[in-house]
Every structure is written in C-alpha cells, then in structure tokens.
Amino acid sequence: MGGTAATASAVQTINPNSEVARRGQTLQINVQAAMGLMEVLRSNLGPRGTIKMLVDGSGQIKLTKDGKVLLSEMQIQNPTASMIARAATAQDEITGDGTTSIILLVGELLKQADRYISEGLHPRVITEGFELAKKESLAFLETFKVAKAMERALLCDVARTALRTKLHADLADNLTEAVVDAVLTIRKEGQPIDLYMVEVMRMMHRTDMDTRFVKGLVLDHGARHPDMAKRVKDAYILTLNVSLEYEKTEVNSSFFYSSAEQREKLVESERRFVDNRLRKIVDFKKQVCDGTDKGFVIINQKGIDPMSLDVLQKNGIVALRRAKRRNMERLQLACGGVAQNSVDELTKDILGHAGLVFEHVLGEEKYTFVEEVQNPESCTILIKGPNAHTLAQINDAVRDGLRAVKNAVEDQCVIPGAGALQVALHAHLLKYKASVKGRAKFGIQAFADAMLVIPKILAMNAGLDAQDVIVELQDEYAAGHVVGVDLKTGSPMDPLAEGILDNYRVQRHMLHSVAVIGSNLLLVDEMMRAGRATLKNQGPMD
C-alpha cells in the first residue's frame, strides 16, 4: 500500500489540485458502477423481463426493454458505467443482440472478483485466471454449438427467441414470420446478406398486430396528379433518373423580346426539351402496351413538373417523382428491370413488372404499394401501430430480429438458449480449474460463478426461486442433459426441443467482451481528473 500512497503523493506534487482516487477506492468505484448498471438492467432480461419508460426533455415517451436502446438513451454520468455501456452497445452494433447480458455478466464478474481481492489476492492474478477461462470457454463453445441445416422452421425459432425478449409474445410470434421471410427473400447463395435491401416502412395506422411482410416495395409517397389511376394491375415498371421538369440555366442570362409571338416562341423552345423526352416515353409506352391490358408505371428519382404529369396522365401512365435513391436500387431488385439515366434507347427488356401497384391514402400521407412481383430480391416490412412509441419499439425489435436470422444463416449453427450454455460452461470450467496450477484458479472460479447470473436472473424475472432453479439445472446437466430454464414452470427443459435458440456469434463475442472489459476494469488502480486546466486562473509564470 506504501507504493500506492507514494504514487498518489507524486501526482499531488505535480498538480496540488488534482483529484485522485487511490487503489482500494478505485476498485470499489469500478465495482459499484458495474453493479449499479447491472441493477438497472437486470429486470429487463429475457421474455419475462419488465419494460422501462424513457421520457426526454420535451416529454416524448419511449417504452423499451432493449438494452441497446436503454444504454444509448439513458444519461450515464459515472465514467466507468459509461465505458461499460459503450462496450456493450458495440456488441449490439456488431452482432445485433446480447447487450443486457454483457452488462449483467460484467457486473457479476467484478462482484465475484471483489470477493477474492478483498481477501488480499492481487487483481493481476485474477485477470490471468479470466484470460485462461475465456480461452477455455471459447473452445468449449465450439463443441457446444449445434450445426444444422438452416431451414425455415429453425430460422423461425431463432427469430422468435430474439423477438420475445423485446416484445410481448403475441406480437413477437406475428413478427417472426415476417422477419424470416424478409431475410430468405433477399438471401443469395454465396453472397453476404445485405439487410439494407429490406425496407422497413412505418405507418401509424390500426394496431401493432397488423404489422406484416410485403413481398414487394412500399414507397412513402404517391402520384402527384389527382386524375392518375389509383390502382394498376399487371403493370410494367420503368425506373428513371431523368429530370422531366423545366430547369433554369446554370448561367445567369436574360432574354429580350419585342412581341407576344416571340415570347410564345421562347416559352415553346424552353418546353421543347422536356416535351421531346415525354414524347419518347409516351411512344415507348404505346409500343409495349398497345393491344394489351397492361398498365405502365414510371418511378422517377428526379422531378416531374405539373405539365409533364398532365401529359403522362392523358396517356394512361402513372408517374411518381422524387423517389429515394436507395429505393431505386431496391425497385430493380424487387421488380426486375434496369434504371435508366436517359430516355433515348428504351427497350422492353429494361422494364420491371409488378402484378399490382396501388395507392393507400392515410390522412395527408400517401403510400404506394408495389406488390405481386416475380422472384423479388428486395422486400418491405410494413410496421403498423397506433402511436409513435409503439412504432419505435417494433422498429428496434425488427432490426434485432433481422440480424438474428442473418447471423444464423451465416453461422450455419445455433446455440441452445434459455441459459443452457451458461450452466454447461459453469460445470466445464470447474472441471478445467482442477487442471490449472497456481493462484489463477481463483480467476477461473470467479468467471465460472459469474456465468450463472444469466439463468438466475431469467428465473427471478419470471417470479421463480433462483436457487431452486440453479440447483435443478445443475443436477440435470450432471446427469448428461443439455438443459435451460422453463420460465413457465421453473423446471429444466431441453431448449433444442422447445425451439429456444441463440446465435453462435452473439455468445462468442459476449464471452470475449466480458473477459476483456472485466480485466481492464480490475487493473485500474488509480483514477485522476485529466485534461489541462484553463490558463485564466493561473498567475504569471515565475
């Protein structure tokens, strides 16, 4: 302790105003911060977890039990807690889940380590044990994972497990099919899955149970001409990136005319440029649609002025302007066809096709549905709900659900859920501890004991007795069964048979992160306020 006091006094000598926390205090500060964060989030874990209400300065409400949303929206003052929160949200950005679990495991890890440190064990010894335990845990995870063919039923189980921890069971089951269908639609063999090709569209309408998967695209705007058809069946889709409006010249120029005829000529020549483009489009429409009952829809990324809209409407063409750039990409994947930057050489093979294009008006907002498409590679999840916070809650859950299915498809394996991995890992690490020599055993023991926090808190959130549940699980596992917690009855059950499956990469990243964060916090022996003081308060230099 003398060395620490000397260091502290050395810092005080350099800067008499510095705020320094000594070794014993620093460890307590870190442990308390981790446990404080754990106390806040522990009630959210699992399908039986409770919900937090976040209210911002303007009175806007957000209801959520998603750890990532909570940690990014909460105001966290404590520097240690803030650091743990940032590390946990990084887990969500990489894998899409496991944020709450990381917070709980880090809190429990420091709590277990503190028991040994308070008896005089050096933190460095414990972190060596953590490192050994981490390597052994990751090796055990490779043997514990279950490689399966990624069929639709299995992916539904993965999505349901992820969604039920974010939303109530009925809504989660309703969203499960939508999320799996969306990922299977955009999946291409041998290529990474691009989740941006799933458009998530919000519509404040009816109830949350009306949220559905649309095999096609939903655009958040409609035709700008009142007489254009509101419903087109069996339509050709032409995607354009061409300006169909009169544009001012880039150079400042002025024109002088001496008679009304000259003015008429000027207006006519200004329009001629746009009219030529329109003529080509109308001729092309007649060429492909005449003699058939097919419709013709133009979706343009740039503007279309009222006169052009009028010409298109008279020729039976439905035109939408100012579509999002990302939607132009999605449209080609959903309907087929190729987006055009010019109207000069239009041929039939650059057209996409949709069985039904219709407009849905909701208050002042218009939505255009492009449905009944053949072999789409892009699709939409249409989120519905009665108010903004319901839509936000479902939106966060859908994002996590899509990531869970994507992870499972790319990993080609799953992990039994409901706390099964943690129970098995605890038993495995205790066996491994016997083969390790020296004081690092204590670190492995602390790591193994910390693992049990997940099944304990799952049981407590379901209103069960944690000790009874853990003892039953350990007895069943010792008898040679892979078991998780049944949150309805509290008795052990087989997660694979019940379809409770976790992502392999989430668990792998979680084990790695927990050990690294825990070790870093234990090795902090001094906290001091850093940064330069302002020069105003200091006198002239001697």
Side-chain angles (χ1 to χ4, degrees):
M1 200 61 199
T4 314
T7 317
S9 62
V11 174
Q12 292 283 354
T13 311
I14 298 165
N15 179 2
N17 300 326
S18 68
E19 295 173 35
V20 181
R22 311 281 166 81
R23 181 175 182 172
Q25 291 171 300
T26 306
L27 199 57
Q28 278 318 111
I29 291 168
N30 287 348
V31 172
Q32 292 303 323
M35 287 175 64
L37 207 51
M38 174 183 165
E39 286 302 318
V40 172
L41 290 185
R42 68 186 298 155
S43 59
N44 292 32
L45 185 72
R48 294 296 180 93
T50 50
I51 294 176
K52 300 267 190 289
M53 181 190 281
L54 300 170
V55 185
D56 68 12
S58 61
Q60 292 287 318
I61 289 174
K62 198 164 197 179
L63 294 173
T64 185
K65 59 193 279 200
D66 185 345
K68 193 255 180 182
V69 176
L70 277 169
L71 293 173
S72 48
E73 302 266 343
M74 277 189 331
Q75 295 177 356
I76 301 173
Q77 302 279 318
N78 185 296
T80 308
S82 177
M83 179 185 140
I84 299 170
R86 278 204 296 272
T89 48
Q91 155 96 7
D92 184 273
E93 279 151 26
I94 295 164
T95 64
D97 210 349
T99 323
T100 310
S101 303
I102 278 203
I103 297 288
L104 299 182
L105 286 166
V106 169
E108 189 67 16
L109 206 55
L110 291 184
K111 181 176 158 189
Q112 296 292 342
D114 191 42
R115 280 173 40 210
Y116 295 105
I117 292 169
S118 61
E119 290 169 12
L121 196 62
H122 194 282
R124 172 63 72 187
V125 176
I126 291 187
T127 56
E128 283 168 10
F130 283 178
E131 189 59 32
L132 290 171
K134 180 186 84 175
K135 283 182 181 162
E136 189 60 26
S137 300
L138 293 172
F140 176 73
L141 188 65
E142 295 300 320
T143 62
F144 193 74
K145 69 183 183 185
V146 180
K148 285 198 168 191
M150 290 297 142
E151 293 165 355
R152 190 171 184 279
L154 185 79
L155 293 174
C156 282
D157 287 339
V158 172
R160 191 179 298 111
T161 306
L163 290 169
R164 280 193 174 182
T165 62
K166 313 275 186 284
L167 302 165
H168 63 83
D170 294 340
L171 180 55
D173 294 349
N174 183 33
L175 282 176
T176 296
E177 306 261 329
V179 163
V180 173
D181 286 339
V183 174
L184 291 179
T185 300
I186 62 166
R187 176 187 178 188
K188 295 179 196 167
E189 281 302 323
Q191 289 185 28
I193 295 169
D194 180 9
L195 290 181
Y196 282 113
M197 288 303 104
V198 178
E199 167 80 311
V200 178
M201 180 60 68
R202 302 180 185 199
M203 194 187 268
M204 204 180 289
H205 181 47
R206 300 172 75 172
T207 69
D208 51 7
M209 293 302 285
D210 292 304
T211 298
R212 67 186 179 93
F213 166 71
V214 178
K215 199 169 185 178
L217 209 59
V218 181
L219 308 170
D220 56 358
H221 52 93
R224 283 277 176 246
H225 193 290
D227 297 333
M228 276 185 181
K230 302 286 183 248
R231 192 178 186 89
V232 184
K233 288 189 175 177
D234 199 12
Y236 285 123
I237 308 284
L238 174 61
T239 44
L240 286 179
N241 183 18
V242 176
S243 176
L244 294 176
E245 58 188 342
Y246 161 62
E247 291 176 3
K248 289 195 168 92
T249 55
E250 289 181 12
V251 195
N252 281 335
S253 56
S254 44
F255 296 94
F256 299 93
Y257 38 82
S258 53
S259 67
E261 287 81 19
Q262 283 181 340
R263 185 181 179 283
E264 288 297 319
K265 274 186 182 174
L266 177 70
V267 171
E268 191 183 313
S269 59
E270 280 181 336
R271 288 287 319 166
R272 192 182 303 138
F273 189 61
V274 175
D275 287 345
N276 283 341
R277 288 179 174 177
L278 288 170
R279 191 174 296 111
K280 286 177 183 172
I281 292 170
V282 170
D283 290 346
F284 176 56
K285 184 257 176 185
K286 286 176 179 168
Q287 178 193 328
V288 294
C289 292
D290 277 8
T292 67
D293 56 357
K294 286 183 178 290
F296 197 87
V297 178
I298 293 175
I299 297 175
N300 192 10
Q301 191 178 330
K302 293 206 170 109
I304 308 176
D305 62 20
M307 291 171 76
S308 305
L309 284 170
D310 204 47
V311 171
L312 294 170
Q313 184 268 326
K314 281 175 180 159
N315 286 280
I317 298 172
V318 175
L320 280 78
R321 65 185 183 191
R322 306 204 192 286
K324 288 190 294 195
R325 190 176 66 82
R326 183 46 68 75
N327 274 344
M328 303 304 280
E329 199 179 333
R330 291 185 183 123
L331 264 168
Q332 293 173 67
L333 289 168
C335 312
V338 184
Q340 297 298 300
N341 291 320
S342 147
V343 292
D344 289 341
E345 294 172 1
L346 299 176
T347 55
K348 195 170 179 180
D349 54 355
I350 57 113
L351 292 172
H353 181 269
L356 178 65
V357 178
F358 67 94
E359 191 177 285
H360 180 99
V361 181
L362 199 64
E364 293 183 0
E365 308 228 339
K366 288 184 178 180
Y367 296 88
T368 304
F369 287 70
V370 181
E371 288 194 54
E372 295 176 24
V373 290
Q374 307 292 321
N375 310 319
E377 290 175 358
S378 176
C379 56
T380 305
I381 293 178
L382 182 63
I383 296 176
K384 291 191 178 184
N387 45 44
H389 64 254
T390 305
L391 292 176
Q393 191 181 0
I394 298 173
N395 189 37
D396 291 334
V398 162
R399 179 180 166 277
D400 287 358
L402 288 169
R403 298 278 286 278
V405 178
K406 171 183 179 277
N407 291 344
V409 170
E410 290 179 352
D411 291 338
Q412 290 294 306
C413 61
V414 289
I415 302 286
L421 170 67
Q422 284 76 17
V423 172
L425 195 53
H426 175 260
H428 178 75
L429 287 175
L430 292 186
K431 281 183 197 162
Y432 170 66
K433 187 182 100 168
S435 66
V436 174
K437 301 279 189 289
R439 290 185 299 170
K441 284 181 183 214
F442 295 115
I444 296 169
Q445 179 73 50
F447 197 91
D449 290 342
M451 286 297 121
L452 291 180
V453 73
I454 300 290
K456 268 184 201 166
I457 290 179
L458 280 173
M460 285 159 73
N461 287 349
L464 304 165
D465 185 290
Q467 275 69 32
D468 286 353
V469 169
I470 293 293
V471 169
E472 281 189 54
L473 287 176
Q474 288 176 328
D475 290 348
E476 276 294 317
Y477 183 72
H481 307 293
V482 172
V483 285
V485 193
D486 185 333
L487 296 183
K488 289 193 181 88
T489 61
S491 52
M493 55 85 179
D494 181 358
L496 287 171
E498 296 290 326
I500 299 171
L501 305 171
D502 285 338
N503 283 137
Y504 161 73
R505 69 175 60 181
V506 171
Q507 298 289 352
R508 188 189 67 205
H509 195 273
M510 200 154 68
L511 289 169
H512 183 79
S513 298
V514 164
V516 171
I517 299 167
S519 298
N520 284 344
L521 291 178
L522 284 179
L523 292 176
V524 174
D525 71 340
E526 212 165 288
M527 286 171 83
M528 60 191 84
R529 191 172 291 284
R532 288 177 173 274
T534 54
L535 296 172
K536 283 180 188 172
N537 307 331
Q538 296 176 4
M541 292 179 71
D542 296 328

